């Protein structure tokens, strides 16, 4: 059974360091995806530490964040609170794909009236602007 950790034991640390300094959006997205696959906790830590900058990282990165959000919250619903603020921000994304995925993610994680209303508004905006 092949394990990435055995083959390249410091991969997660190297990727995390790369993410701290990388400015290219595609490289950052790919590195984050790799970090998420190799060490999910480090990926979540990076997300938490950089949540205020997620909107600057490009729509490809944001879609990976949404994928991670769904996966992490399915595994551990108590994690939802770590992701809600960014979900609401991503509803306003200029990218239709990000806005749609954020709305879908939000309603899949919460049935609170505020969340449902925000997602419905995002869907309506997508229909009106599309």
């Amino acid at each position: 059974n092949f394990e990435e950790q055995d083959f390249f034991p410091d991969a997660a640390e190297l990727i995390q360091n790369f993410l701290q300094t990388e400015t290219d959006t595609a490289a950052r997205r790919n590195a984050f995806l790799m970090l998420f696959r190799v060490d999910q906790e480090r990926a979540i830590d990076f997300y938490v530490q950089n949540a205020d900058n997620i909107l600057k990282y490009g729509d490809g990165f944001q879609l990976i964040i949404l994928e991670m959000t769904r996966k992490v919250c399915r595994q551990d619903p108590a994690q939802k609170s770590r992701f809600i603020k960014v979900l609401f921000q991503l509803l306003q994304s200029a990218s239709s794909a990000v806005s749609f995925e954020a709305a879908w993610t939000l309603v899949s994680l919460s049935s609170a009236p505020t969340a449902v209303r925000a997602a419905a508004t995002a869907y309506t905006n997508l229909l009106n602007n599309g």
Side-chain angles (χ1 to χ4, degrees):
N1 189 2
F2 175 75
E3 292 288 329
E4 296 92 0
Q5 297 286 338
D6 294 338
F7 182 69
F8 198 16
D10 57 347
E13 183 179 345
L14 291 171
I15 295 166
Q16 189 174 21
N17 291 339
F18 176 81
L19 280 168
Q20 297 295 341
T21 59
E22 185 55 45
T23 57
D24 179 74
T25 56
R28 182 180 283 135
R29 180 193 78 80
N30 293 338
F32 185 79
L33 182 58
M34 185 184 297
L35 181 61
F36 180 59
R37 302 271 192 249
V38 172
D39 188 337
Q40 185 171 311
E41 272 309 308
R42 274 188 197 249
I44 293 170
D45 288 343
F46 177 83
Y47 161 80
V48 169
Q49 292 168 4
N50 294 279
D52 292 339
N53 296 317
I54 298 299
L55 297 177
K56 300 174 189 172
Y57 288 175
D59 56 346
F61 189 90
Q62 293 164 4
L63 290 169
I64 298 298
I65 291 295
L66 292 166
E67 178 186 337
M68 180 186 72
T69 300
R70 290 188 297 270
K71 183 176 180 182
V72 168
C73 292
R74 263 187 254 120
Q75 292 172 348
D76 182 6
Q79 298 282 338
K80 289 179 191 179
S81 62
R82 297 173 102 178
F83 298 96
I84 293 295
K85 178 183 173 189
V86 171
L87 280 176
F88 275 95
Q89 292 173 347
L90 292 176
L91 290 172
Q92 308 300 321
S93 175
S95 165
S96 297
V98 171
S99 183
F100 179 84
E101 290 287 326
W104 176 66
T105 301
L106 187 59
V107 295
S108 72
L109 298 179
S110 176
S111 59
T114 304
V116 173
R117 192 170 21 261
T121 299
Y123 286 136
T124 303
N125 289 340
L126 288 168
L127 290 171
N128 288 335
N129 298 330

